[in-house]
């Protein structure tokens, strides 16, 4: 589960999940919702694979959402859902979605970048929670 919150000229994404892999997937969906608005308009017709190296959950989140932002900016790929496998050296991520089509997709926001300001991930008794902010 994720929710969006306003942050001056930015937009924040707060995520709560039972596991770290779910948290990272939900963060990815939150990022794509900021870009595309309603994710129901995105069909899972293609897949993008990526690898994120590291062990610190906060920096894994930052690198993941930064890579997904780059996937949209460079290849115009919109994600709808994902799968995250965590190993001792980082993440293997499979994102389901499709290329952006201006005639079909209504974009909600242009993201300039993912910021490190306000970035955190923590393990809590109920699972995991995190926040990150995107510059719009």
């Amino acid at each position: 589960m994720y929710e969006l919150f306003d942050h001056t000229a930015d937009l924040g994404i707060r995520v709560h999940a039972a596991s770290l892999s779910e948290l990272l997937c939900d963060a990815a969906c939150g990022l794509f919702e900021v870009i595309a608005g309603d994710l129901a308009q995105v069909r899972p017709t293609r897949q993008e694979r990526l690898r994120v190296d590291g062990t610190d959950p906060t920096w894994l989140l930052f690198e993941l959402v930064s890579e997904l932002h780059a996937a949209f900016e460079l290849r115009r790929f919109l994600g709808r859902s994902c799968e995250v496998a965590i190993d001792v050296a980082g993440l293997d991520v499979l994102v389901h979605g499709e290329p952006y089509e201006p005639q079909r997709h209504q974009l909600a926001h242009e993201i300039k970048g993912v910021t490190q300001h306000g970035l955190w991930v923590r393990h809590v008794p109920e699972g995991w929670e995190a926040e990150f902010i995107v510059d719009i």
Side-chain angles (χ1 to χ4, degrees):
M1 179 185 80
Y2 60 87
E3 61 185 296
L4 308 179
F5 63 92
D6 290 324
H7 185 273
T8 59
D10 302 329
L11 191 61
I13 301 169
R14 184 175 298 121
V15 189
H16 306 274
S19 69
L20 182 57
S21 60
E22 288 176 35
L23 179 98
L24 295 168
C25 281
D26 287 351
C29 290
L31 178 81
F32 284 120
E33 182 177 317
V34 170
I35 295 170
D38 182 11
L39 291 183
Q41 69 178 322
V42 179
R43 297 179 298 205
T45 60
R46 290 220 181 132
Q47 298 176 343
E48 290 240 348
R49 289 187 182 279
L50 55 118
R51 174 76 188 169
V52 178
D53 292 323
T55 57
D56 181 276
T58 301
W59 294 111
L60 289 171
L61 171 64
F62 179 76
E63 291 296 328
L64 174 61
V65 294
S66 295
E67 287 287 330
L68 295 174
H69 175 242
F72 178 73
E73 290 298 320
L74 299 173
R75 296 181 299 284
R76 306 312 273 176
F77 182 79
L78 287 171
R80 177 184 173 131
S81 63
C82 73
E83 301 163 37
V84 172
I86 302 172
D87 59 40
V88 296
L91 312 173
D92 284 312
V93 183
L94 180 63
V95 183
H96 307 275
E98 67 177 327
Y100 167 64
E101 295 178 24
Q103 66 276 18
R104 278 195 336 96
H105 298 116
Q106 290 275 44
L107 298 183
H109 296 95
E110 178 182 347
I111 294 177
K112 297 175 190 171
V114 179
T115 71
Q116 294 180 14
H117 174 76
L119 171 71
W120 56 265
V121 174
R122 65 179 166 228
H123 190 245
V124 295
E126 303 81 30
W128 290 84
E129 54 188 31
E131 281 187 9
F132 65 100
I133 296 170
V134 294
D135 183 11
I136 54 174

